[in-house]
Amino acid sequence: MENVTQEIGKELQDKFGDAIVSQSLIIDFPTFVVKKEKILDIMNFLYDFELYKFQFLTSLCGVHFPDNVKEEEYSVVYQLHDLVRNQRIRLKVFTSESQIQVPSVTSLFSTANWLERETFDFFGIQFTGHPNLVKILNMEDQPYFPMRKQYPLEDGTREDKDDSKFGR
Amino acid sequence: METPVSYVPILIQLGVALGFVVTTIVATHFLGPSRKSKRKLNSFECGIESQGNARVPFSIKYFLVAILFVLFDVEVIFMYPWAVNFKALGTTGLVEMFIFIGLLLLGFFYVVKKGALKWEDK
Amino acid sequence: MNTTDLEKKRAEIEKQGYSILNLGPTHPATHGIFQNILTMDGDIIIDAVPTVGYIHRAFEKLAERRAYYQITTITDRMNYCSSPINNFGWHMTMEKLLGIEVPKRAQYLRVILMELARIADHLICNSVIGVDTGALSGFLYVFQEREKVYEIYEEICGARLTTNLGRIGGLERDFPKKAWDKIHAFIESLPKALDEFETLLSRNRIFMDRTIGAGPISAERALNYGFTGPNLRAAGVDYDVRVATPYSSYEDFDFQIPVGVNGDTYDRFMVRQEEMHQSLSIIKQAIAKLPEGPIHADVPDIYLPPKEEVYNNMEALIYQFKIVMGESNVPAGEVYHSVEGGNGELGFYLISDGGRTPFRLSLRRPCFIYYQAYTEMIKGAMLSDAILTLSSLNVIAGELDA
Amino acid sequence: MSTEKDIIETNVNITKAPEGIEGAGFFATSLDQVVGLARKNSIWPLPFATSCCGIEFMATMASHYDLARFGSERLSFSPRQADLLMVMGTISKKLAPVVKQVYLQMAEPRWVLAMGACASSGGIFDTYSVLQGIDRIIPVDVYVSGCPPRPEQVIDGILRVQELVGKESLRRRNSPEYTELLASYGIE
């Protein structure tokens, strides 16, 4: 698996140069951190890549790193899968809170439509170019983005969970 | 010998029937508990507030099929008396009924030819 | 969209002579809580605007507040028609992160339970397709088989639906003797019930007319929409996680992958029907080749030591205390592991920062991903076909709105 | 071979007649009890099934546990002909107005059964998106605990509702306490 990461990394490095920030092999996933502006071009490139044809977007999710440095506070993780040669890779994109825009990949994968809406619903990451970026799981007029770390999990209207009894 | 008096039982029976229907409908409004509120009385829209009204122009083919059904259903009703005293009416009855059915069959072919029953148009 | 432009949209639609039908949240045909605002021309569907999230319970946020072994109660309630598959999927993700090798016997027992869950899930889906085409009796007969699967779960873990089966590192106990008898009885009775169900529906003239051509989807559109599982196999792509990336010793069993042709409701029905037969043969092979040995790996820091050990030696007591208080040390790292769920590839993407609880757990929920294609599949179809397509996709609200 | 009579004695228990004055060829009892007896053995439930409890309700309705034995054979999915609103599964805040609308559009007299921990108190999902129990929006008559409750528990809940229906006086729905109870939920 290690040489696969090198191969793909080298190909991407030649094509996109410094857009590929770093590459690594995590357990069984070659992982590449890329610049967010280039994500769509990289995915188009990987779509009909000569070594592996990554034509299946397995999953897309957002992550919030509150302690990271300002530019890397929010991240979007894409996982692609080449069904023919059964090879999976993971692409990571980081963005800051102030300009929280990430280019949308719905033009390439229709499955990204709702996944991006869910990521926007949870973290507030704006996907530029998305046909209908509206909250999908929560109510459309929910003022805040619930999955961000600073927001509580509990609903707060439960009386039976009296914190004083739990020493909180 | 029929006198107007001997029709009285029929009138009574009619009165009882109508009376029963009217009283049960009216009585249930007063007997059962009921709670009138605006949200309760407007139409059930799978759990959400209903918007717009349901009086929307529908495509003509629905009405066409309904009317044709009624027409041929009434034809079948005319066959009942014929079937009951089939023996009494004999062959003349048979011929008359065949003419009656033949005419309606002509109508049916006309309907099929004109494509009134074609559902997946467009 | 707020009400004003909803009104504008409605007026403009009605101007073209279409009518708007609300296949709303509480509807007997949707078998769950989904809403579709359909633009209809007569009973042909022109457009559908879906709304989901009616039972969004914030699983991913909940998972960030629970210790690792407590997340099994959440995965139970994702795809509740086949909850053991979700449980073991989560446990295998943790075992992959911690590098635990589960003994062969536990892997085989897990395979048996997962295949039982797959049969139970397909039983509900196919019988609900029968209900939606009007054959209610099929549902009543086939649900009896599902009751037998419930009884097997009860023997093993005491619960019927939300089973909370297994632990990280293996199973909590071996199958009791009564469970084995019930499994053997189930193996005898299922083929008869399946054949009876198939003679009732598969070659039934009305059923075939209703389902062939209802809600078709082509292979590349299915792949573009991220389809996996029986719905993708019905469209003609033979991708199955058990074969692509075998886990829990699935490579020891040989089973075929049924594949459909044009991805419509009839193909999905036949693919699921055939998969039940394949799952049954896997269970038989697993029972035949079941090895002896322990049912959990020897990892005391993550797997609860047995009670008598806890009472009389010190390390077990410390381990017991640390695990129960959730202090079990999980290394920082990230892992993605997917299993073949009842509806497709069920993936767990876990980022852990070494703390008591996961830093981020993202769930790849097949129902959420392939329900997007529903609008495209029912465009131009009749309303009754749209309802059939929905039940043949086997969209489970718990997994969709996780 | 047990005779016909014994079989009836052992397996089938026929509903007992309400107390009343018995005489030669006549039987007199209060209207409440007769109406209660009729209503209690023919409750039409509205299965508001959302998640896991819905599947357990399917098991209760299927042939093994068979809710039809208690007169609730006929499910009505529209609130117009429903007597009992069975809320089963998690109710999120997005779904709360739907539950309230369905309850409002049910004809009086109406009862509510909250099946499962999620419907009764939000259950294990104390999260930002879940309504912590439906008794915050509509009055509930019977709570069935369990996650999901076993079919036997659901049937026990139905029997509890049947007792309530059987004993209810005909004037309860117009009594001031009932109107005040509804007013406390903002239902006029």
Side-chain angles (χ1 to χ4, degrees), chain C residues 211-251:
Chain C
T211 51
I212 290 179
I217 187 156
S218 65
E220 74 275 353
R221 282 311 289 160
L223 281 172
N224 207 315
Y225 269 111
F227 271 51
T228 50
N231 302 330
L232 179 64
R233 291 192 279 275
V237 179
D238 64 347
Y239 171 66
D240 186 326
V241 184
R242 295 175 293 180
V243 172
T245 50
Y247 51 90
S248 177
S249 70
Y250 261 106
E251 61 280 0

Side-chain angles (χ1 to χ4, degrees), chain A residues 122 135-140 142 144 146-147 152-161, chain D residues 92-97 117 121-133 136:
Chain A
F122 284 164
K135 274 188 177 264
I136 187 163
L137 290 178
N138 289 306
M139 289 199 260
E140 265 118 19
Q142 189 180 33
Y144 67 105
M147 280 290 283
L153 160 74
E154 280 80 13
D155 165 62
T157 61
R158 279 276 279 262
E159 305 87 14
D160 57 350
K161 274 186 163 174
Chain D
S92 70
K93 288 180 180 153
K94 200 173 183 177
L95 200 60
S121 70
I124 62 171
F125 301 115
D126 176 9
T127 58
Y128 57 85
S129 68
V130 171
L131 177 73
Q132 300 302 321
R136 290 170 192 269

